[in-house]
Amino acid sequence: KLPNYVWLCHATTRRIIEFAGILILFRQGGSLLALVIFTVALNFSLNMLMLLNIWRHMTGFRLKLTTDISTLKELLHFSFFSYLASIANLIASRTDRIVLGIWSGGVADVGIYQLGTRLPDIAGQMTSQYQDNVAPYTAELCRQQQFDKLRKIILRGIKFTVFLAAGGVGLGVAAAPEILHLWFGRIDPLVVEVCRWMLIYTFFWSTVRSFSTKMMLMSGYHKRYCLLCWVEAVFNITLSLILLFKIGLMGLVYGNVISLVVLSIGVYLPFCAMLIRYNLTALYLRYYLLPIVCTLAAVAAAYGVKIFMSERSELIRLVAMAGSGGVVYLGCCWWLLFGNGERRQLLRQLPLLKKLE
């Protein structure tokens, strides 16, 4: 296992060099071919650098040109279903704009959808960091049959991710008009509606689907994972097209949200509970319903401030909404979501809050 700072340095270096290189190419009038060559060379060189770091930090790591037929068959079997699942995920997640462009109002609807999904995309990136740890832990602990340890890791990760996602999504839904107006200027009201519904989509994607699919893939259920990905893709596209023809752009949005919510509640969470040997009802109530209750309280507080400060500028109103909603959310989570042991642990890590203990 590589130290965390190695991964952090590698990712940070990659982003800095990539940004600087693309900026220089654009300013120097570089061609598309030059951009492609630069990207390929950067990826190759940094991956080689990571390989050297692996050799340095992982004792016993060796590359051997040998063939083990049984291992090769197992890898091909796993890779085949994983690849099919990747195609299904690509279809489900990347065809929405194509569908809009062909069967909806053309470029206008695509532009509205693009603007409306920018904030949810950022929210998803900010709440999906922990899920990268799920796959290796699931594979190793399932192999060792250490389901008690796996349960603790997964439940801790779910609680942390739901805590971040519920608060961020709730305040994003409340303050979407202010955020989008400050970001893009004057916008169509439909952009705000798209943004709010896609924030809900992001919540279920980050807190349910990301965990469950990684666990399903790495615990020996890759066939079921592949089948479920195709079922989800067909369900998503079919429902989105039906609703798109009936009510337009928002039909596509509703189709995305409904398909994900149905599968999250009916398939993904039950599988997660089954794998970690945990009661499904307790999982729903303790790890999802309580944060949602805290979020509703925070949203109510933010809306109250929004109404009270309706004559103020959007920036001041946004800051006040975020501050009031954030305080209410943190206070509710402190007493409802976190147990006594977790509160004591947090207080030990935050000496300035000792007086609250």
Side-chain angles (χ1 to χ4, degrees), residues 181-192:
H181 191 270
L182 288 171
W183 195 356
F184 299 117
R186 185 175 296 276
I187 55 173
D188 192 305
L190 198 57
V191 175
V192 176

Side-chain angles (χ1 to χ4, degrees), residues 54-278:
I54 290 174
W55 256 315
R56 178 183 174 188
H57 289 92
M58 298 180 67
T59 57
F61 176 78
R62 296 292 183 271
L63 293 176
K64 296 181 180 180
L65 296 176
T66 58
T67 302
D68 186 336
I69 300 300
S70 61
T71 302
L72 183 61
K73 287 177 61 178
E74 185 178 351
L75 288 174
L76 289 175
H77 183 268
F78 174 83
S79 299
F80 174 73
F81 287 101
S82 179
Y83 182 71
L84 288 180
S86 298
I87 296 175
N89 289 330
L90 185 64
I91 293 173
S93 62
R94 299 301 179 189
T95 57
D96 44 6
R97 290 164 179 81
I98 298 175
V99 168
L100 273 178
I102 296 175
W103 284 295
S104 185
V107 177
D109 279 351
V110 174
I112 290 174
Y113 187 79
Q114 182 70 24
L115 291 177
T117 55
R118 291 306 299 146
L119 182 60
D121 287 344
I122 294 174
Q125 294 173 9
M126 295 178 65
T127 56
S128 59
Q129 305 305 315
Y130 189 90
Q131 290 88 317
D132 293 335
N133 299 319
V134 171
Y137 277 121
T138 300
E140 182 65 18
L141 294 177
C142 283
R143 184 184 66 84
Q144 298 176 0
Q145 300 291 304
Q146 296 186 23
F147 294 105
D148 290 341
K149 187 173 182 180
L150 178 63
R151 180 169 57 250
K152 292 179 181 178
I153 293 173
I154 296 301
L155 291 179
R156 187 183 302 121
I158 289 176
K159 177 176 285 190
F160 174 73
T161 304
V162 173
F163 168 71
L164 291 178
V169 166
L171 294 176
V173 168
E178 287 76 14
I179 296 173
L180 293 174
H181 191 270
L182 288 171
W183 195 356
F184 299 117
R186 185 175 296 276
I187 55 173
D188 192 305
L190 198 57
V191 175
V192 176
E193 190 174 355
V194 171
C195 179
R196 283 171 167 164
W197 280 102
M198 292 307 292
L199 280 169
I200 297 173
Y201 176 90
T202 298
F203 172 79
F204 282 94
W205 181 278
S206 299
T207 62
V208 180
R209 192 188 188 281
S210 292
F211 276 97
S212 301
T213 53
K214 286 181 173 61
M215 294 169 63
M216 193 177 295
L217 180 64
M218 301 306 294
S219 59
Y221 292 91
H222 46 279
K223 289 183 181 179
R224 182 183 299 184
Y225 167 70
C226 177
L227 176 62
L228 184 57
C229 286
W230 280 100
V231 170
E232 180 181 12
V234 173
F235 181 32
N236 187 339
I237 293 176
T238 303
L239 182 61
S240 297
L241 282 174
I242 293 173
L243 294 176
L244 176 65
F245 290 139
K246 286 183 175 295
I247 58 178
L249 169 61
M250 290 308 301
L252 180 76
V253 176
Y254 296 151
N256 286 332
V257 175
I258 292 172
S259 60
L260 180 60
V261 171
V262 168
L263 289 173
S264 295
I265 296 175
V267 179
Y268 290 130
L269 275 179
F271 171 82
C272 179
M274 180 272 295
L275 185 64
I276 63 176
R277 302 343 190 230
Y278 193 73

Side-chain angles (χ1 to χ4, degrees), residues 287-337:
Y287 292 88
Y288 288 92
L289 183 60
L290 282 180
I292 290 175
V293 170
C294 297
T295 301
L296 293 176
V299 170
Y303 267 113
V305 171
K306 183 176 184 175
I307 295 172
F308 180 75
M309 303 184 66
S310 58
E311 302 299 325
R312 300 286 185 140
S313 68
E314 288 181 330
L315 180 58
I316 295 176
R317 193 163 63 243
L318 175 60
V319 172
M321 290 173 65
S324 60
V327 169
V328 171
Y329 182 70
L330 291 175
C332 290
C333 288
W334 182 261
W335 296 110
L336 295 179
L337 184 61

